[in-house]
Amino acid sequence: MAKYLAQIIVMGAQVVGRAFARALQQEYAASQAAARARGRTGQQSAAATSITGMSLQEAQQILNISTLTPEEIQKNYEHLFKVNDKAVGGSFYIQSKVVRAKERLEEELSIQSQKQKPQSQQNTET
């Protein structure tokens, strides 16, 4: 009886181990495919995220911005910076988050403009 119980446990562990290994391989393949799909712009954006410590989505949420336009970024930044000024009872922490969000969005704008420059040069050459 104990022998059969041990065999069942060992077989169960093998099944779970194989399933885990297969899931890990699939996740790795999906990750590689997503990285290739993002291309160079994705790499630059990921680098900007790691440098600023803030994702693009988080920065957009902080500044309440749906489209990346310099005017809208500046307008929302100035408003939120003034509202959260410590002199008027605001939070220094939130004010610093607003500054980091503005920096992250400006970095994304520069990445997008760099991406558009080579495309416009290719269009003028043809």
Side-chain angles (χ1 to χ4, degrees):
M1 183 74 171
K3 178 180 175 183
Y4 295 122
L5 187 58
Q7 286 178 340
I8 291 172
I9 292 172
V10 168
M11 288 175 55
Q14 288 175 343
V15 168
V16 169
R18 286 187 198 123
F20 180 75
R22 193 171 303 125
L24 192 61
Q25 288 173 342
Q26 289 174 351
E27 182 61 31
Y28 180 74
S31 173
Q32 292 298 316
R36 284 190 299 274
R38 281 192 305 264
R40 180 155 170 74
T41 302
Q43 291 173 351
Q44 289 176 333
S45 186
T49 297
S50 67
I51 290 170
T52 60
M54 183 178 294
S55 70
L56 177 61
Q57 290 78 18
E58 183 182 3
Q60 287 178 314
Q61 286 176 344
I62 289 171
L63 289 182
N64 193 24
I65 292 176
S66 56
T67 58
L68 291 178
T69 60
E71 299 81 22
E72 187 178 5
I73 292 171
Q74 188 64 32
K75 183 183 95 175
N76 289 6
Y77 164 76
E78 288 174 358
H79 170 71
L80 290 170
F81 191 84
K82 289 176 186 174
V83 168
N84 289 296
D85 190 8
K86 195 164 180 140
V88 294
S91 168
F92 179 73
Y93 174 76
I94 295 176
Q95 194 178 39
S96 66
K97 281 291 204 180
V98 168
V99 171
R100 297 294 166 250
K102 179 179 182 257
E103 289 174 352
R104 176 63 179 94
L105 292 174
E106 287 175 341
E107 183 67 28
E108 191 66 27
L109 283 174
S110 70
I111 289 170
Q112 288 180 1
S113 68
Q114 289 174 0
K115 181 183 174 186
Q116 290 174 352
K117 283 181 186 177
Q119 289 176 351
S120 63
Q121 288 175 352
Q122 288 175 355
N123 291 342
T124 57
E125 289 175 1
T126 57

